[in-house]
Amino acid sequence: TTMAPTMQVAGTVVSRTDAYLSAEVEGRLIRVAEPGERVAQGDVLAKIDDQTLSLRLEELKAEIARVQARLTFLEADLKRFQRLAETNLAAVSQIEQTRADRDVARSDLAVANARLGQVQTQLERTEIKAPFPGLVVERVAQAGERVGVGARVLRIYNPDDLEVVARAPLNYYRYVQSGDELGVIARDQEIEAPVRRVYSVGGEDTHVFELRLDMTEALAVGQT
């Protein structure tokens, strides 16, 4: 009988797509998805009050309309002065002043449009959307709370994209390679799982390497 030494190490089932979603704008939460809710990619999981940003958006639209009207007037005025200059009825200084005012109005319009784009982006970010299909598993902040930029709101992971993470002594590092199949014991049965990644994480205090195995069985995230 040919025999080879074997060793069992503890591993944990984890989701390869697991993320905490944070607020990208400051404000009061008016809705947060419930833990256990299954969501598709792009679904809105949380909503931040956007009333202030909506008012700012309307203000900028009105400002753009005002600047656009002034720019249209100055461009027409400049053309009129240029026609008069052909018959020496308009001073060069008038033309230069009107041209300068027109250029300032163009700059004001560009600035206002840039501010409008910023506010529109902020409005879009008042909705926290699922970056991938998955399951809401933790609600860090509640509806009614005020959150700042970068504050965690909820956690989501995909229970259909699983892997097993385990650490083993460095003595065995040269015996395991990506593509090998190892036996994973779960639910009193042994499942053959391919090794996806092998890399050393050892240091002065720990002499281990990490294994990551693809898992197609429907196991619970966090299961040992």
Side-chain angles (χ1 to χ4, degrees):
T1 302
T2 303
M3 302 183 66
T6 61
M7 179 182 185
Q8 287 191 355
V9 296
T12 305
V13 179
V14 300
S15 174
R16 293 178 60 187
T17 45
D18 187 337
Y20 279 96
L21 304 184
S22 303
E24 295 188 70
V25 295
E26 182 180 358
R28 180 177 57 86
L29 285 167
I30 57 177
R31 188 178 75 82
V32 183
E34 292 281 346
E37 186 175 336
R38 191 76 183 239
V39 297
Q41 183 176 355
D43 284 354
V44 178
L45 306 182
K47 174 69 175 175
I48 297 173
D49 184 17
D50 61 359
Q51 183 176 5
T52 301
L53 288 173
S54 296
L55 292 173
R56 177 59 177 158
L57 184 70
E58 295 303 318
E59 179 184 356
L60 284 171
K61 286 181 178 179
E63 182 179 346
I64 288 173
R66 177 179 61 80
V67 176
Q68 183 65 62
R70 175 168 171 75
L71 178 60
T72 302
F73 170 78
L74 289 171
E75 287 177 340
D77 223 17
L78 180 61
K79 290 179 181 178
R80 182 171 62 84
F81 282 134
Q82 288 172 337
R83 286 195 300 268
L84 291 174
E86 295 174 358
T87 57
N88 296 322
L89 296 177
V92 175
S93 59
Q94 286 179 306
I95 296 175
E96 294 301 326
Q97 181 63 50
T98 305
R99 182 179 289 114
D101 291 342
R102 181 205 59 184
D103 293 342
V104 170
R106 282 180 176 175
S107 298
D108 290 343
L109 183 61
V111 170
N113 278 318
R115 289 175 179 168
L116 181 68
Q118 292 174 354
V119 172
Q120 288 173 333
T121 300
Q122 288 180 315
L123 271 171
E124 292 173 0
R125 292 178 177 176
T126 58
E127 293 182 341
I128 301 177
K129 298 181 179 181
F132 48 80
L135 190 69
V136 178
V137 294
E138 184 180 357
R139 185 165 56 182
V140 181
Q142 303 289 333
E145 292 185 32
R146 188 171 185 83
V147 294
V149 177
R152 288 182 173 181
V153 177
L154 46 79
R155 178 187 172 199
I156 177 178
Y157 67 65
N158 187 351
D160 301 322
D161 188 13
L162 303 179
E163 66 179 358
V164 173
V165 179
R167 290 188 174 187
L170 273 175
N171 296 338
Y172 293 85
Y173 183 68
R174 62 194 179 103
Y175 299 112
V176 184
Q177 297 179 355
S178 298
D180 291 348
E181 287 196 347
L182 299 182
V184 177
I185 300 174
R187 294 180 178 173
D188 299 326
Q189 62 176 337
E190 186 169 332
I191 305 166
E192 293 294 323
V195 177
R196 185 170 55 85
R197 293 284 186 273
V198 180
Y199 49 92
S200 174
V201 291
E204 294 181 359
D205 299 326
T206 58
H207 304 281
V208 296
F209 68 97
E210 190 162 292
L211 296 158
R212 290 184 177 263
L213 298 86
D214 287 327
M215 180 56 59
T216 57
E217 296 289 329
L219 300 178
V221 172
Q223 179 177 343
T224 302

